[in-house]
Amino acid sequence: MFRPLFISCLLISFGGIASSHPEELEVFFQFFFKVYKNGTIEKLDGHGLDVPPSLDSETGVQTKDIVISPETNVSARLYAMKDAASEGGVPLLLYFHGGGFSTGTAAYYAFHQFVSSVVAKGKVVAVSVSYRLAPEHCLPIGYDDSWAAIKWVASHAGGGGTEPWLKERVDFNSVYFLGESAGANIAHNMAMRFGSEKLDSVELKGIVLIHPYFLLKEPTRSLLAVNEDMRNNITKLWPYVCPTTSGPYDPRVNPVADPDLKKLGGKRVLICLAEQDPLMDAGKKYGQALRREGGKVVKKFVSKGKSHVFHLREPNSTEALDLIDRVVSFVNGKSKKTR
């Protein structure tokens, strides 16, 4: 049974954890951060290697960083092919990275490498969003930051805006949202918002969700297949990063229960699953729910023998390269057999 955790991000204490009562230093929760019994939260060090923007001479992908909102420190990394024609006409990917809503940036090596590979293979333009992170900045802040980035991108449609890579190269009638894990959750929620708050001169063609972080009311077979500690980490993470949640029927994490799911923006959905991912069955149920609603072209495929976000850990594996091929074929409107 879901038990709401009444935690306010504004009241969480970070930093020193000294206490005269050792029992208060008992770790109550640990996944992407530690929560002590006394309420103190300790952010775990780092998320991996960050890399600067650059030009990759081997792939021809060039990148640069943009500050979208100095007030909130929301930023993005832009990706484009160096030798691409200046005239608009290529699809645009808006990418939202994973990391449990609480770690990572667009500069993180694994995310950077993945987006670079998609851009190189698909010859598209991509915008990778660095949103503010929980538990310092609980949801819906990450959602709001991501929407602000989308609106900034949309401001370039029809010749507006100041960023030439967007003004000159992008077909704003061919926009896709992409993310993995928590980032896939964000991509879904941004598509829901787009369905309600359509942006002028921008057409959201579809979304690509890789190993999406969705939960259902009851544990699924794939979730029950992992040990109890991991299962608890996965399910308890949500109320820590989104303390205002209403519980297992919250449509932000359980879109299967969302009565407004039919309002999802975009006509095409690609759901990428992994056979050994605890979240696989929730992703399957999501696809089934979309099909029941009708009006969407829903495709999915499963990476056999692979676990959650394996493509970030094993970027050169056959399965990771296949996943990239599927994403690129979907975004470029080419048919490729899914399973």
Side-chain angles (χ1 to χ4, degrees):
M1 179 182 297
F2 175 80
R3 297 171 58 191
L5 299 175
F6 298 102
I7 298 176
S8 168
C9 286
L10 297 178
L11 298 179
I12 288 174
S13 173
F14 291 88
I17 58 174
S19 173
S20 58
H21 302 285
E23 68 275 8
E24 292 186 357
L25 297 184
E26 176 185 350
V27 176
F28 188 71
F29 173 82
Q30 178 175 340
F31 199 14
F32 292 94
F33 45 86
K34 289 183 180 181
V35 180
Y36 292 88
K37 188 175 181 179
N38 66 3
T40 301
I41 287 184
E42 178 186 4
K43 197 72 175 278
L44 300 179
D45 290 338
H47 55 266
L49 175 67
D50 283 351
V51 295
S54 63
L55 168 63
D56 188 324
S57 59
E58 183 175 340
T59 64
V61 175
Q62 57 182 350
T63 56
K64 62 180 173 181
D65 291 340
I66 299 289
V67 175
I68 293 174
S69 172
E71 295 79 16
T72 61
N73 203 32
V74 176
S75 63
R77 176 161 292 185
L78 275 59
Y79 297 73
M81 300 301 299
K82 179 179 184 299
D83 298 325
S86 61
E87 291 130 1
V90 303
L92 173 67
L93 284 177
L94 276 123
Y95 171 75
F96 308 97
H97 67 78
F101 305 98
S102 56
T103 188
T105 69
Y108 175 34
Y109 175 76
F111 303 141
H112 173 85
Q113 183 180 48
F114 172 65
V115 179
S116 292
S117 296
V118 172
V119 170
K121 185 79 174 180
K123 312 302 181 189
V124 298
V125 172
V127 176
S128 177
V129 181
S130 288
Y131 49 90
R132 284 176 289 176
L133 303 171
E136 302 96 321
H137 302 286
C138 291
L139 296 173
I141 289 176
Y143 293 144
D144 292 339
D145 288 349
S146 298
W147 186 248
I150 292 170
K151 290 177 66 177
W152 174 81
V153 168
S155 71
H156 293 80
T162 59
E163 174 47 55
W165 289 10
L166 299 178
K167 288 166 61 75
E168 299 170 2
R169 304 186 185 193
V170 167
D171 176 5
F172 284 95
N173 291 314
S174 187
V175 176
Y176 290 84
F177 297 163
L178 163 67
E180 79 279 297
S181 193
N185 175 291
I186 293 174
H188 161 79
N189 280 283
M190 293 304 96
M192 290 297 299
R193 191 161 179 175
F194 190 95
S196 300
E197 305 178 34
K198 295 187 183 299
L199 301 175
D200 293 340
S201 303
V202 174
E203 181 177 353
L204 178 64
K205 285 285 190 180
I207 60 175
V208 181
L209 308 185
I210 301 173
H211 314 159
Y213 179 81
F214 294 146
L215 301 174
L216 302 178
K217 181 183 177 183
E218 300 295 338
T220 63
R221 181 187 305 178
S222 62
L223 187 58
L224 290 171
V226 298
N227 64 61
E228 185 177 3
D229 286 343
M230 177 55 70
R231 187 162 62 249
N232 286 337
N233 284 343
I234 291 170
T235 56
K236 289 180 178 179
L237 174 68
W238 173 250
Y240 275 115
V241 299
C242 188
T244 60
T245 185
S246 58
Y249 287 108
D250 188 332
R252 294 171 294 184
V253 75
N254 184 0
V256 172
D258 189 350
D260 293 325
L261 185 58
K262 60 181 176 294
K263 296 180 180 179
L264 182 81
K267 294 292 186 182
R268 306 172 66 230
V269 180
L270 174 62
I271 308 168
C272 306
L273 306 173
E275 188 178 39
Q276 296 179 1
D277 183 2
L279 298 174
M280 183 182 73
D281 288 343
K284 282 185 176 180
K285 294 287 187 182
Y286 173 76
Q288 293 166 3
L290 282 176
R291 290 190 177 98
R292 285 196 301 269
E293 293 293 342
K296 307 291 181 189
V297 177
V298 183
K299 297 180 178 290
K300 73 175 179 66
F301 81 97
V302 180
S303 298
K304 301 295 185 181
K306 292 299 179 181
S307 58
H308 192 67
V309 298
F310 74 90
H311 61 291
L312 300 179
R313 299 186 302 274
E314 309 165 23
N316 297 316
S317 66
T318 299
E319 293 81 3
L321 296 176
D322 183 34
L323 186 151
I324 290 171
D325 283 345
R326 305 278 177 163
V327 172
V328 167
S329 295
F330 182 80
V331 170
N332 283 328
K334 299 176 182 177
S335 61
K336 184 156 186 167
K337 185 179 179 181
T338 56
R339 56 186 184 275

